[in-house]
Amino acid sequence: MGAIVVQGVLRDGRGFVELVLPDADPQQRRTLEKVTRLQYSLYRDGKLLYASPPLQMTNVRRAADDGALIVTGTP
């Protein structure tokens, strides 16, 4: 198990959100590939820091270095 990383990415003038998820379950990528919309919340010490708007799922891929799943969404 590892940390989940959330980062904003600007590519070709468009903004994206990328969630990097540890590869904990072999079924996880197949399940995520069926998702069309996502929303996420960030918490620290049980307190809500940020709740994203609904995002359109645009891509699910594996990181080349460690096999983590990278989920990309855009507003």
Side-chain angles (χ1 to χ4, degrees), residues 1-39:
M1 201 87 189
I4 296 174
V5 177
V6 179
Q7 60 188 4
V9 177
L10 183 63
R11 195 176 302 133
D12 298 326
R14 292 183 59 204
F16 296 89
V17 172
E18 287 188 345
L19 301 168
V20 180
L21 312 170
D23 187 19
D25 178 358
Q27 182 66 31
Q28 187 176 30
R29 181 177 181 168
R30 288 185 290 273
T31 300
L32 288 170
E33 286 175 337
K34 297 175 186 173
V35 172
T36 59
R37 297 194 59 77
L38 69 124
Q39 190 170 7

Side-chain angles (χ1 to χ4, degrees), residues 37-70:
R37 297 194 59 77
L38 69 124
Q39 190 170 7
Y40 66 93
S41 302
L42 298 175
Y43 292 88
R44 178 177 289 162
D45 298 326
K47 294 182 183 177
L48 179 65
L49 297 177
Y50 176 77
S52 79
L55 302 170
Q56 181 71 39
M57 177 77 85
T58 57
N59 190 21
V60 177
R61 68 183 191 281
R62 268 208 203 281
D65 57 348
D66 62 1
L69 287 173
I70 301 174

